[in-house]
Amino acid sequence: MRNPIASFFLVSPAVFLMLVFLILPIISVVILSFSDWQLGNENINFIGLLNYKELFHDEVFFTSLKNTIIYVLIVLPISVIGGLLIALLIESRNQAKGFYRTIFFLPVMATLIAMSIVWEYILHPDIGILNKLLNLFGINGTNWLSNKDVVLYCLAVIGIWQQLGYNMVLFIAGIMTIPKYLYEAAKLDGISGFSMARVITLPLLAPVFLFVLIITSIKAFQVFDTVYVLTLGGPNHASEVLLFSIYQEAFMFFRTGYAASISVVFLFFILILTLIKIRFFDKGI
């Protein structure tokens, strides 16, 4: 028989932590979004929907929203499909699997802020390795992080580089759960190479593929480190994203109420992605 008192004491720590670190902060942000509170003020004045009215007339906000969506649309397909291809190539080998797994997983283990500094030197217009390599082929490089036409794409490349290894590991884990006898039966039927991957591997990886797709989407929406270290949203807001806009409004301009309204919009996108994950992955496709 179930003991309701024991169940309560077992569940209450998790419920308490979720309440303190998740639910209450979200409620606080929503409440602050209807105020003009500034960081450090003791009084809160509620102004209704004025923050949201200003938000939807703010060109900088729409620029950061557009940049975030473009960033996600670049990083998401390349890092997911690239991670899948790398996983398939590594698992198709009989030797040096551990070596290749380690090489591709190294960017995940490295601190992104530290690696951003390395990328800053790589993309430097004068001493950067990238421009020096281009010069060897007679191509004139540019100031990659100060050129508004390419800076967002440079950040997307860094995001792809950092995400590929993580997606690779998830796909490898999915491949390792596929029963070996399916491949043996396929070989007896004369199926091999790409046909085997198309008939067996890819269909059975569908749940893992969807999970990786949603997780990568959420992580791409949460890009902040590289923008903060490399560009500070510049030049002329060309690389500004939603999380950096929130940080800038809250901790540089001290417009905490306005930053909270941007956070609510950001949480809306994350909530949609989370609901998609719950609908299609946690309950099965």
Side-chain angles (χ1 to χ4, degrees):
M1 294 182 65
R2 294 181 179 178
N3 188 333
I5 297 178
S7 301
F8 171 78
F9 281 108
L10 290 172
V11 173
S12 57
V15 174
F16 175 77
L17 291 174
M18 183 178 294
L19 182 67
V20 172
F21 293 106
L22 181 63
I23 297 176
L24 287 180
I26 291 176
I27 293 174
S28 300
V29 168
V30 174
I31 293 174
L32 286 176
S33 70
F34 296 104
S35 73
D36 62 354
W37 185 68
Q38 294 184 344
L39 190 65
N41 285 357
E42 295 181 358
N43 299 321
I44 298 179
N45 297 319
F46 290 98
I47 57 175
L49 297 173
L50 288 181
N51 282 330
Y52 292 96
K53 290 181 180 178
E54 181 182 353
L55 184 67
F56 289 105
H57 290 86
D58 187 354
E59 292 184 4
V60 175
F61 165 73
F62 282 104
T63 299
S64 66
L65 178 61
K66 181 192 71 174
N67 290 340
T68 304
I69 293 174
I70 292 174
Y71 181 90
V72 172
L73 291 177
I74 296 173
V75 172
L76 178 61
I78 297 177
S79 62
V80 171
I81 296 174
L84 175 61
L85 292 177
I86 292 171
L88 291 173
L89 288 172
I90 291 176
E91 291 305 302
S92 66
R93 298 178 58 89
N94 294 322
Q95 297 178 344
K97 288 185 179 181
F99 172 76
Y100 289 109
R101 290 172 184 172
T102 303
I103 291 297
F104 283 103
F105 194 69
L106 278 176
V108 182
M109 296 187 293
T111 304
L112 189 55
I113 292 180
M115 297 311 300
S116 296
I117 297 174
V118 174
W119 276 100
E120 186 176 16
Y121 282 102
I122 293 174
L123 299 174
H124 194 278
D126 298 322
I127 63 173
I129 297 174
L130 179 58
N131 278 353
K132 289 186 179 297
L133 289 175
L134 292 175
N135 289 335
L136 293 177
F137 296 96
I139 302 173
N140 292 325
T142 183
N143 191 340
W144 301 97
L145 299 178
S146 296
N147 187 333
K148 63 183 180 64
D149 295 324
V150 299
V151 61
L152 187 63
Y153 302 103
C154 291
L155 296 177
V157 168
I158 298 173
I160 293 167
W161 168 82
Q162 202 267 338
Q163 188 65 30
L164 269 176
Y166 183 77
N167 292 346
M168 174 204 70
V169 169
L170 293 177
F171 281 123
I172 287 177
I175 292 172
M176 293 177 68
T177 62
I178 298 175
K180 301 298 182 184
Y181 66 81
L182 294 177
Y183 293 107
E184 295 171 358
K187 288 180 180 179
L188 293 176
D189 291 336
I191 300 174
S192 61
F194 177 75
S195 297
M196 185 176 294
R198 180 175 57 84
V199 173
I200 297 176
T201 307
L202 295 180
L204 293 178
L205 278 180
V208 178
F209 186 88
L210 180 60
F211 176 77
V212 172
L213 197 68
I214 300 301
I215 293 299
T216 305
S217 301
I218 294 174
K219 293 189 70 174
F221 265 105
Q222 293 175 337
V223 58
F224 173 79
D225 308 61
T226 50
V227 175
Y228 179 77
V229 174
L230 296 177
T231 67
L232 289 176
N236 195 26
H237 307 290
S239 62
E240 186 162 330
V241 292
L242 283 177
L243 272 186
F244 184 80
S245 294
I246 295 170
Y247 166 79
Q248 192 173 45
E249 293 291 343
F251 300 106
M252 297 179 69
F253 303 150
F254 300 106
R255 302 174 63 195
T256 311
Y258 187 68
S261 65
I262 303 177
S263 300
V264 171
V265 175
F266 176 77
L267 287 172
F268 174 75
F269 284 103
I270 299 300
L271 178 62
I272 290 175
L273 292 173
T274 303
L275 291 176
I276 293 173
K277 173 183 175 294
I278 294 172
R279 169 64 180 84
F280 291 101
F281 182 77
D282 292 350
K283 293 184 178 180
I285 300 177

